[in-house]
PDB file of all heavy atoms in Angstrom:
ATOM      1  N   LEU A  13     -44.253  -6.724  13.316  1.00  0.00           N
ATOM      2  CA  LEU A  13     -42.993  -6.921  13.989  1.00  0.00           C
ATOM      3  C   LEU A  13     -43.212  -7.770  15.246  1.00  0.00           C
ATOM      4  O   LEU A  13     -42.467  -8.673  15.505  1.00  0.00           O
ATOM      5  CB  LEU A  13     -42.312  -5.606  14.200  1.00  0.00           C
ATOM      6  CG  LEU A  13     -41.507  -4.956  13.117  1.00  0.00           C
ATOM      7  CD1 LEU A  13     -40.959  -3.564  13.582  1.00  0.00           C
ATOM      8  CD2 LEU A  13     -40.423  -5.895  12.626  1.00  0.00           C
ATOM      9  N   SER A  51     -45.410 -24.289   7.590  1.00  0.00           N
ATOM     10  CA  SER A  51     -45.903 -25.670   7.829  1.00  0.00           C
ATOM     11  C   SER A  51     -45.461 -26.639   6.712  1.00  0.00           C
ATOM     12  O   SER A  51     -45.108 -27.745   6.990  1.00  0.00           O
ATOM     13  CB  SER A  51     -47.331 -25.625   8.091  1.00  0.00           C
ATOM     14  OG  SER A  51     -48.020 -24.928   7.118  1.00  0.00           O
ATOM     15  N   SER A  67     -44.272 -37.199  -5.546  1.00  0.00           N
ATOM     16  CA  SER A  67     -45.661 -36.616  -5.677  1.00  0.00           C
ATOM     17  C   SER A  67     -46.358 -36.609  -4.413  1.00  0.00           C
ATOM     18  O   SER A  67     -47.225 -35.778  -4.097  1.00  0.00           O
ATOM     19  CB  SER A  67     -46.381 -37.578  -6.667  1.00  0.00           C
ATOM     20  OG  SER A  67     -46.448 -38.895  -6.162  1.00  0.00           O
ATOM     21  N   ASN A 156     -31.102 -29.798  21.144  1.00  0.00           N
ATOM     22  CA  ASN A 156     -32.454 -30.236  21.488  1.00  0.00           C
ATOM     23  C   ASN A 156     -33.371 -29.008  21.613  1.00  0.00           C
ATOM     24  O   ASN A 156     -33.454 -28.391  22.634  1.00  0.00           O
ATOM     25  CB  ASN A 156     -32.464 -31.007  22.776  1.00  0.00           C
ATOM     26  CG  ASN A 156     -33.755 -31.550  23.112  1.00  0.00           C
ATOM     27  OD1 ASN A 156     -34.737 -31.448  22.369  1.00  0.00           O
ATOM     28  ND2 ASN A 156     -33.886 -32.083  24.347  1.00  0.00           N
ATOM     29  N   GLY A 214     -65.784 -25.173   9.714  1.00  0.00           N
ATOM     30  CA  GLY A 214     -65.659 -24.115  10.760  1.00  0.00           C
ATOM     31  C   GLY A 214     -66.236 -22.826  10.063  1.00  0.00           C
ATOM     32  O   GLY A 214     -66.892 -22.050  10.732  1.00  0.00           O
ATOM     33  N   TYR A 227     -80.601 -12.343  12.931  1.00  0.00           N
ATOM     34  CA  TYR A 227     -82.103 -12.313  12.803  1.00  0.00           C
ATOM     35  C   TYR A 227     -82.898 -12.509  14.131  1.00  0.00           C
ATOM     36  O   TYR A 227     -84.062 -12.596  14.222  1.00  0.00           O
ATOM     37  CB  TYR A 227     -82.561 -13.414  11.835  1.00  0.00           C
ATOM     38  CG  TYR A 227     -82.198 -13.083  10.421  1.00  0.00           C
ATOM     39  CD1 TYR A 227     -81.099 -13.706   9.832  1.00  0.00           C
ATOM     40  CD2 TYR A 227     -82.727 -12.001   9.758  1.00  0.00           C
ATOM     41  CE1 TYR A 227     -80.732 -13.425   8.541  1.00  0.00           C
ATOM     42  CE2 TYR A 227     -82.311 -11.646   8.462  1.00  0.00           C
ATOM     43  CZ  TYR A 227     -81.195 -12.386   7.795  1.00  0.00           C
ATOM     44  OH  TYR A 227     -80.880 -12.079   6.611  1.00  0.00           O
TER      45      TYR A 227
END
Side-chain angles (χ1 to χ4, degrees):
L13 280 176
S51 49
S67 62
N156 184 7
Y227 292 108

